[in-house]
Amino acid sequence: MSDSTDFLDPMMPQQPVEGEPEKLIERERPQPKEERAALVKSWLDRIQKAKGKWQPKFDKMRKDMAFVRGKQWDGADDDAYVCNITLRHMQQRTAAVYAKNPTFTARRKPRLDFAIWSGDPQELQLAQQGAAAGDPMAIQLLQDVVQGQKHQRIMARIGKTLEVIHDHQLNEQIPRFKTEMKQLIRRVKTLGVGYVQLGYQRIYGEGYSNTTQARMADDSRRIQELERLAADIADGEVFGQQQELEELRLGLAALQRSPDLVVYEGLVYEFLRVDQLIVDPECTQLKGFRDAQWIAREYCYKPDRVRAIWKKDVGTQASGEQKNNGTDGEQGTVHVYCIYDMRLKLHFVVAEGYPDFLEEPTEPKIWLEQFHPFYTLSFNDVEDDKDPYPPSDVDLIRHGQREINRSTEAKREHRIANRPAYFAAKGMFTKEDKEKFQNHEANELIELDALAVADDKKIGDKIQAKPVAPMDPALYETDSTYGDVLRATGDQEANLGPTGGDTATEATIAENSRVTSLQSEIDDIDEFLTDLARGASQILLMEMSEETVKRIAGPGAVWPDVTRREVADEIYLEIVAGSSGRPNRSLKIANKERLAPYIPQIPRLNPAWWFKSLARELEEEDELEEAFIQGQPSIVAMNAMVQPSTGNPSTDPNAQGPQGGNNQPAGPGSE
């Protein structure tokens, strides 16, 4: 369907048709050929084997997530001491390496745009003279220059349009791209690896089955669910479920009342859970999925969600003996796998308990140079052919974190054991006397019963203090362990808490070392985002229509219409290096101040541009365009043009001729 009018009206009787009525959703359990069913089963077995191999890794990742949350004692209650340095480290690193969305810019691959002209300006000048004299070779060279420059201008406009479109796509993501990126970095720090899947949300009704859960802000999911309800009702699959009939009626009524039905097309960045991506056990490195023959994305859907997406009923049990009739009740979960076979370059979809393909094997609907749509981010990569999952920051900090907790908990228990207590012979004091000892007020005079003072002995002879074990601070010191944590993570004391009394020089050296470690992670993020942006530019150039482009970027947008594949191979997006990190604003301002004395000496330089650039570094939020008036002279110039008369010709600026006092010698001490 392409719009809401394509929905079946459940309140209207359907016109009878000759023969067997056509089902809108494939309800019957398929009976594929033996070899086809065997192929589907072999893929499901292959995926289950891979899940079994990686399951210990996924279980450990769940424990690491709990560790960062603060569950750092095995089998201990919540009262056990925890100083959560791990969480503090995660927060600091995330803020340091990704402070804002990066700046994306379009780049052209180096190309020789001129077939005849060598690029020498002198050769071009001679050709212009020869063309004026009618030289055919010179005319041919000039035509080559014109065509090459025209191609360059078109590519530049396409690149600018691509930047505007991509920036718009980032802002349309739900949740926001920056929020998801910061969560991805926390995920990588916690689990060791993180994934992003690039998708494309086609305008609904043009043949794209969008199986992603992350979407742009539109009504596609709403329409898809209403279409599934309409198909279930039309096929008679809602026996005893009148609430679905009412649900469809209300949904259609709300859809018809909507004055603005918003249905978009565009990029979708989906940030996956690590256990959602099942990788071939032969993989030796997750970045680029080296040596992997296939990758599978796992979805856990209810049967009605599968019907809405793939128009096939998987509610039938695996044995095929019992039909659910669409009532579902307490629906179970169907495990659906979208598989990318990198050996045969095929993409298809299978589901557990379903004997046939949910989606036929074919080339992916979205073309990417790397074939599959998955991108990997990791920081602590190691060379291990048997285990492609790199260690996380939790692995680096776990032992130190637990030792600090244990040492402080033991110190705490020692203090509790050394609490004041007293010994006395049993029966020496009454119950009331003991309560008076424990709960007396300050400076209270305590009167004891006769049983305690019956003889002539002093009260000190009847009671004595409990001996305590002296505390040796060296047994519970954590500085050495804390130092190990800092060495393993690359942090320094000032980042995680108070300093240990280091000198300024030592602190500077430590900070420089930390910045070097951070720069390595920032470089990893830059490479990851550049690969992601390159894939995004390929998808946009191949998939987005010119009509949508002009609606987003404006009537001046330029978009390829015939040779998109060639353009995608020529133009790509990349990020400005380091633009996602936290900027050193003080350093930038200091550099601009060093350049300031040279600004008046540069010809044709626009001073307004310089002022705007400096204001941006100062985070000036006012509208700078309102500060400038076309043709308005500077305040100094206006003051020089209008000077009050002093009445004395020797000192009156208006009586000093055209030069005025501007050429007077400067006073002492001025520059």
Side-chain angles (χ1 to χ4, degrees):
M1 60 168 274
S2 59
D3 55 52
S4 60
T5 60
D6 292 332
F7 281 113
L8 295 174
D9 188 349
M11 309 306 294
M12 297 292 294
Q14 302 301 315
Q15 296 296 328
V17 295
E18 297 182 359
E20 183 70 19
E22 181 181 358
K23 294 288 186 180
L24 299 179
I25 293 179
E26 186 179 322
R27 304 288 179 179
E28 300 299 327
R29 185 177 178 84
Q31 300 294 331
K33 294 181 179 180
E34 183 177 354
E35 58 271 19
R36 185 180 177 91
L39 177 60
V40 173
K41 184 178 183 302
S42 68
W43 272 109
L44 290 171
D45 292 342
R46 198 178 305 181
I47 291 173
Q48 291 302 320
K49 182 180 178 181
K51 289 178 68 175
K53 177 176 181 179
W54 303 130
Q55 192 60 46
K57 289 290 180 183
F58 298 152
D59 293 340
K60 176 184 171 297
M61 290 176 183
R62 292 187 180 90
K63 293 181 179 179
D64 289 346
M65 288 188 285
F67 191 90
V68 174
R69 179 178 288 274
K71 298 179 180 179
Q72 299 170 358
W73 288 86
D74 293 334
D77 58 20
D78 294 336
D79 192 49
Y81 184 88
V82 172
C83 178
N84 203 340
I85 300 173
T86 307
L87 179 58
R88 171 74 171 175
H89 165 75
M90 301 294 180
Q91 294 171 335
Q92 289 285 348
R93 280 305 177 93
T94 303
V97 300
Y98 198 89
K100 56 187 176 64
N101 285 337
T103 301
F104 291 89
T105 181
R107 299 287 187 188
R108 282 191 68 202
K109 293 180 180 178
R111 292 175 60 91
L112 300 176
D113 294 317
F114 305 100
I116 302 176
W117 183 40
S118 64
D120 185 2
Q122 186 175 4
E123 181 184 4
L124 179 60
Q125 185 177 5
L126 293 175
Q128 291 173 341
Q129 297 174 358
D135 186 357
M137 296 296 295
I139 295 175
Q140 187 176 3
L141 186 145
L142 290 180
Q143 292 175 345
D144 177 63
V145 172
V146 171
Q147 292 176 357
Q149 290 178 344
K150 179 181 179 181
H151 178 73
Q152 289 178 344
R153 289 193 297 270
I154 292 176
M155 290 297 105
R157 292 290 297 274
I158 292 176
K160 183 62 178 178
T161 303
L162 186 61
E163 292 176 6
V164 174
I165 292 295
H166 185 262
D167 184 67
H168 174 81
Q169 299 296 300
L170 288 185
N171 294 330
E172 290 293 316
Q173 300 302 307
I174 302 295
R176 295 172 63 91
F177 184 80
K178 179 181 177 181
T179 302
E180 291 282 52
M181 269 301 300
K182 292 176 81 70
Q183 181 60 35
L184 175 67
I185 293 172
R186 284 189 288 267
R187 182 178 299 127
V188 175
K189 288 289 182 183
T190 303
L191 309 180
V193 66
Y195 306 113
V196 175
Q197 179 178 354
L198 264 182
Y200 192 82
Q201 179 173 311
R202 175 72 73 182
I203 292 179
Y204 196 79
E206 294 189 7
Y208 265 54
S209 292
N210 188 353
T211 58
T212 59
Q213 295 176 356
R215 290 173 174 266
M216 300 170 70
D218 70 357
D219 296 307
S220 296
R221 176 71 172 269
R222 174 188 182 186
I223 297 174
Q224 197 176 61
E225 287 300 319
L226 289 175
E227 185 182 46
R228 193 268 306 171
L229 281 171
D232 284 347
I233 294 172
D235 291 344
E237 298 292 332
V238 289
F239 300 122
Q241 295 289 331
Q242 294 301 316
Q243 65 270 21
E244 291 199 0
L245 185 64
E246 179 66 11
E247 184 180 12
L248 176 62
R249 188 187 67 79
L250 295 174
L252 288 175
L255 195 66
Q256 294 169 357
R257 288 195 302 268
S258 299
D260 298 314
L261 183 62
V262 182
V263 185
Y264 289 147
E265 67 168 320
L267 281 173
V268 175
Y269 291 91
E270 187 167 8
F271 295 76
L272 310 181
R273 298 196 322 266
V274 177
D275 60 352
Q276 284 183 300
L277 206 64
I278 312 301
V279 184
D280 181 4
E282 299 299 323
C283 180
T284 58
Q285 183 174 321
L286 293 178
K287 280 185 176 178
F289 301 100
R290 183 181 301 171
D291 298 326
Q293 299 297 315
W294 56 270
I295 307 171
R297 164 77 190 277
E298 181 180 21
Y299 298 90
C300 295
Y301 282 152
K302 298 291 185 182
D304 58 0
R305 185 79 183 109
V306 178
R307 291 197 300 272
I309 297 174
W310 287 283
K311 311 304 179 188
K312 295 181 180 180
D313 190 353
V314 296
T316 307
Q317 294 187 0
S319 62
E321 297 176 356
Q322 181 179 353
K323 178 75 183 215
N324 200 340
N325 288 331
T327 59
D328 288 336
E330 294 295 331
Q331 298 183 5
T333 300
V334 180
H335 293 268
V336 179
Y337 303 100
C338 294
I339 302 172
Y340 290 82
D341 185 352
M342 292 184 284
R343 183 174 56 92
L344 299 178
K345 302 298 182 184
L346 292 176
H347 166 256
F348 49 92
V349 182
V350 296
E352 287 185 0
Y354 195 74
D356 204 351
F357 294 101
L358 278 182
E359 188 173 314
E360 288 292 319
T362 182
E363 291 186 355
K365 296 181 178 68
I366 299 175
W367 177 84
L368 281 170
E369 192 174 13
Q370 66 173 20
F371 172 68
H372 60 81
F374 306 111
Y375 297 83
T376 306
L377 177 63
S378 59
F379 296 134
N380 303 321
D381 298 293
V382 295
E383 193 70 22
D384 187 352
D385 294 342
K386 302 297 182 182
D387 185 2
Y389 288 90
S392 65
D393 282 23
V394 177
D395 295 325
L396 303 179
I397 205 173
R398 177 184 286 106
H399 293 291
Q401 173 74 78
R402 285 184 169 175
E403 186 62 27
I404 291 174
N405 291 345
R406 281 193 292 264
S407 296
T408 311
E409 177 68 13
K411 183 179 179 181
R412 177 188 183 190
E413 292 174 349
H414 195 148
R415 288 201 306 268
I416 293 174
N418 277 354
R419 288 182 300 179
Y422 300 91
F423 297 133
K426 187 175 182 179
M428 185 66 64
F429 298 98
T430 65
K431 181 179 180 180
E432 291 75 9
D433 289 339
K434 289 186 285 187
E435 291 179 353
K436 291 177 181 178
F437 281 132
Q438 295 174 349
N439 304 319
H440 66 83
E441 298 289 339
N443 301 317
E444 181 182 355
L445 176 62
I446 303 175
E447 296 180 341
L448 302 178
D449 291 340
L451 179 63
V453 295
D455 52 22
D456 296 333
K457 294 183 178 180
K458 299 178 180 179
I459 190 65
D461 297 334
K462 299 176 180 293
I463 186 172
Q464 59 180 339
K466 179 192 75 173
V468 297
M471 182 180 292
D472 184 0
L475 293 176
Y476 306 112
E477 66 87 19
T478 58
D479 290 344
S480 58
T481 305
Y482 188 50
D484 292 340
V485 170
L486 297 178
R487 294 184 185 94
T489 59
D491 292 322
Q492 65 160 319
E493 287 181 295
N495 301 118
L496 300 180
T499 62
D502 296 336
T503 64
T505 302
E506 291 174 330
T508 301
I509 294 174
E511 178 63 14
N512 290 337
S513 176
R514 187 186 73 89
V515 170
T516 301
S517 176
L518 286 178
Q519 191 59 49
S520 176
E521 296 181 357
I522 292 174
D523 289 342
D524 290 335
I525 295 174
D526 286 351
E527 291 181 5
F528 168 78
L529 289 173
T530 295
D531 292 341
L532 201 62
R534 187 164 185 166
S537 61
Q538 292 171 357
I539 293 176
L540 288 173
L541 288 168
M542 294 290 293
E543 302 295 336
M544 184 164 282
S545 64
E546 184 175 0
E547 178 184 359
T548 302
V549 169
K550 289 185 177 295
R551 177 179 60 83
I552 295 173
V558 177
W559 205 242
D561 54 355
V562 179
T563 58
R564 293 188 180 184
R565 179 72 172 269
E566 297 178 2
V567 174
D569 290 339
E570 182 175 350
I571 295 180
Y572 61 92
L573 289 172
E574 68 176 16
I575 72 166
V576 177
S579 60
S580 62
R582 188 170 298 279
N584 190 337
R585 186 165 288 105
S586 299
L587 180 60
K588 288 186 176 182
I589 293 175
N591 290 336
K592 289 184 181 294
E593 289 176 345
R594 294 188 182 98
L595 289 174
Y598 302 98
I599 298 303
Q601 306 175 29
I602 301 176
R604 301 191 306 276
L605 181 66
N606 184 1
W609 169 85
W610 176 256
F611 174 76
K612 291 179 182 179
S613 175
L614 185 59
R616 280 193 296 267
E617 299 299 341
L618 295 173
E619 294 187 331
E620 180 59 51
E621 300 294 338
D622 294 336
E623 292 292 338
L624 296 179
E625 299 299 333
E626 299 179 2
F628 297 95
I629 300 176
Q630 189 68 26
Q632 179 80 0
S634 67
I635 295 177
V636 174
M638 289 189 295
N639 290 339
M641 289 186 294
V642 180
Q643 293 286 352
S645 175
T646 62
N648 186 351
S650 62
T651 59
D652 188 352
N654 299 314
Q656 295 178 6
Q659 298 299 324
N662 292 333
N663 290 332
Q664 292 182 356
S670 63
E671 296 181 0

